[in-house]
Amino acid sequence: MPITKNEKETTTFAKKIAQKIQNGGVVCLFGDLGTGKTTFTKGLAEYFGIDRIKIKSPTYTYIRKHTAKNGQNIYHIDLYRLSHIDDLLLEEINELLENPKDIIVIEWADRMEKYLPENRINIYLEYVDEKRRDIKVVSEVRNNY
Ligand code: ADP
Ligand code: MG
């Protein structure tokens, strides 16, 4: 489990995780503001050929869809502004989770913890100091990840 020394290392780490789920999967990101969840998502998206500049935290919506060159969908979900998940959003997210070929990244996954799918990768990011982040892959529920 790495302590990354800068943004670039977090990006590189994200690409390794991306490789594990290249045929579809769910990555749940946990950690306070500024710990690197969006940075991680940028790295993951980059692995799929999506420009990192396109990955920003959604402001007017909780879900953003990106399509890789090979046609694969990458859904970036950011629940920061959410205090209580409502049925409509949950239904929308559950629909996305039904397609095993898609890549789904959820920032602030704790906001919907009890609704998260069993097959997922949990990633916990912690602030160490200005440039360092402790990143733990706490559970890889599905063995073939
Ligand atoms: P979050 O989405 O968790 O709120 P962001 O990825 O938006 O966090 O912001 C992380 C900030 O911390 C960025 O400004 C990034 O440049 C900076 N940073 C410094 N060191 C690191 C590191 N090791 N990994 C990731 N981000 C880092
Ligand atoms: Mg973020």
Side-chain angles (χ1 to χ4, degrees):
M1 301 295 163
I3 289 188
T4 63
K5 288 194 283 299
N6 50 51
E7 186 168 337
K8 186 137 189 290
E9 284 191 6
T10 296
T11 300
T12 303
F13 180 71
K15 287 179 184 172
K16 284 193 194 135
I17 299 291
Q19 196 178 10
K20 291 178 195 264
I21 55 152
Q22 56 186 306
N23 299 315
V26 181
V27 178
C28 296
L29 302 176
F30 301 84
D32 291 339
L33 258 189
T35 50
K37 299 179 296 301
T38 302
T39 302
F40 179 98
T41 308
K42 284 171 187 279
L44 187 131
E46 247 175 14
Y47 177 87
F48 293 99
I50 290 159
D51 194 337
R52 63 188 290 117
I53 207 134
K54 293 206 170 130
I55 306 297
K56 356 181 182 171
S57 289
T59 44
Y60 53 90
T61 171
Y62 294 109
I63 306 171
R64 279 170 78 118
K65 178 182 178 179
H66 304 276
T67 306
K69 286 196 181 75
N70 67 1
Q72 198 165 21
N73 294 320
I74 290 124
Y75 291 97
H76 176 201
I77 301 175
D78 188 328
L79 303 176
Y80 177 54
R81 280 171 199 82
L82 193 75
S83 53
H84 183 78
I85 190 144
D86 60 82
D87 292 348
L88 204 68
L89 180 61
L90 198 55
E91 207 175 298
E92 208 180 327
I93 293 173
N94 280 337
E95 247 169 66
L96 303 182
L97 294 168
E98 273 167 27
N99 189 339
K101 295 241 185 306
D102 289 342
I103 312 294
I104 296 167
V105 183
I106 308 175
E107 290 192 48
W108 297 96
D110 46 299
R111 304 277 204 265
M112 58 172 288
E113 190 134 34
K114 62 178 175 180
Y115 304 106
L116 292 172
E118 231 173 80
N119 291 337
R120 64 180 196 265
I121 297 181
N122 283 337
I123 294 179
Y124 289 78
L125 299 99
E126 267 178 45
Y127 185 94
V128 178
D129 59 27
E130 201 188 330
K131 288 275 157 204
R132 289 188 296 168
R133 302 293 184 272
D134 192 353
I135 305 179
K136 288 193 179 75
V137 181
V138 170
S139 74
E140 299 192 7
V141 179
R142 200 162 74 188
N143 293 327
N144 60 353
Y145 270 141

